[in-house]
Amino acid sequence: SAVISQKPSRDICQRGTSLTIQCQVDSQVTMMFWYRQQPGQSLTLIATANQGSEATYESGFVIDKFPISRPNLTFSTLTVSNMSPEDSSIYLCSVQRQGAYNEQFFGPGTRLTVL
Amino acid sequence: GENVEQHPSTLSVQEGDSAVIKCTYSDSASNYFPWYKQELGKGPQLIIDIRSNVGEKKDQRIAVTLNKTAKHFSLHITETQPEDSAVYFCAASSRYIPTFGRGTSLIVHP
């Protein structure tokens, strides 16, 4: 498996502000993903974080709202911009390792509340 | 795209009983089927997975079965314990990105 840490673990923010979430992995991984999990719901993929290039976004998610960086093989950030109460959710970082046959591991999540 | 249906949404059992969660998928190209356990306040944890060349896999009290013809797979937990209480997610994937079911909240009563 992979050890994944996220910062912050939780935050309460005012509407209109932005929050950047960090994801750090203990080993080099090929794929990094960002998911959103709304209360009591399943996991929705926001985007695939690509090292050294723009992230690949899923339908319904745009770069202006969720800018993502991945400067190297062990670190990524997700920013939630111009937040509204509808952005209140758990944001999860996830990774796959090369040759791991699709095994995917999740970080502990960042619980975001927007007032 | 892939569509994964998961049932039941809530499952309540007595300690020591067995629990079964079932999932169906739509894409015949899917070949990897992981199961995740998510405890309150934590991220999903991969607990077991099965690949399309295998019909059944067991790990202590947990087992998964796969029927590729019918496109369904199941998670079986025997001798349930209170610490098994959590939300369980199934998923199916054919490439890098899995499609997740909606989750089953398992409650084990002592």
Side-chain angles (χ1 to χ4, degrees):
Chain A
S1 64
V3 178
I4 306 166
S5 60
Q6 284 185 235
K7 290 182 184 179
S9 58
R10 58 177 61 230
D11 208 341
I12 301 173
C13 302
Q14 297 297 320
R15 71 168 66 214
T17 62
S18 297
L19 176 72
T20 295
I21 303 167
Q22 299 180 0
C23 176
Q24 179 74 54
V25 191
D26 67 338
S27 58
Q28 292 186 349
V29 293
T30 51
M31 309 283 282
M32 293 184 79
F33 308 95
W34 287 98
Y35 284 82
R36 182 173 73 183
Q37 186 178 30
Q38 294 179 306
Q41 301 297 313
S42 189
L43 306 162
T44 301
L45 180 65
I46 297 172
T48 301
N50 301 308
Q51 192 225 343
S53 64
E54 193 172 289
T56 304
Y57 290 85
E58 297 299 302
S59 176
F61 297 96
V62 295
I63 187 171
D64 289 347
K65 176 67 175 177
F66 298 101
I68 288 171
S69 78
R70 189 178 173 192
N72 57 52
L73 291 176
T74 63
F75 185 79
S76 178
T77 66
L78 167 75
T79 299
V80 186
S81 304
N82 189 24
M83 288 184 285
S84 66
E86 292 71 38
D87 295 319
S88 297
S89 195
I90 298 172
Y91 292 86
L92 293 154
C93 173
S94 178
V95 305
Q96 284 183 0
R97 280 207 299 245
Q98 187 173 15
Y101 202 114
N102 297 6
E103 285 181 338
Q104 193 163 339
F105 304 97
F106 286 86
T110 295
R111 184 177 297 270
L112 171 62
T113 302
V114 184
L115 302 178
Chain B
E2 176 66 277
N3 181 48
V4 177
E5 299 284 340
Q6 182 172 348
H7 299 282
S9 57
T10 304
L11 180 57
S12 183
V13 300
Q14 288 296 128
E15 182 177 0
D17 288 350
S18 294
V20 180
I21 302 170
K22 298 181 179 181
C23 290
T24 61
Y25 62 99
S26 60
D27 187 353
S28 57
S30 289
N31 56 8
Y32 176 63
F33 307 90
W35 287 87
Y36 291 85
K37 174 183 181 182
Q38 187 175 26
E39 296 174 285
L40 196 63
K42 297 184 178 180
Q45 177 191 2
L46 179 65
I47 57 172
I48 195 167
D49 56 19
I50 192 167
R51 297 181 174 95
S52 60
N53 58 345
V54 175
E56 183 174 356
K57 182 176 178 180
K58 193 172 182 180
D59 182 3
Q60 299 183 340
R61 297 186 296 108
I62 294 175
V64 290
T65 58
L66 171 64
N67 183 326
K68 284 222 76 178
T69 303
K71 295 197 188 75
H72 66 71
F73 55 113
S74 301
L75 176 71
H76 304 251
I77 306 174
T78 58
E79 300 172 27
T80 54
Q81 301 167 4
E83 51 265 39
D84 294 328
S85 296
V87 178
Y88 291 81
F89 292 97
C90 66
S93 73
S94 59
R95 297 188 67 191
Y96 296 113
I97 300 173
T99 300
F100 289 88
R102 296 174 69 86
T104 296
S105 177
L106 174 64
I107 303 165
V108 181
H109 299 281

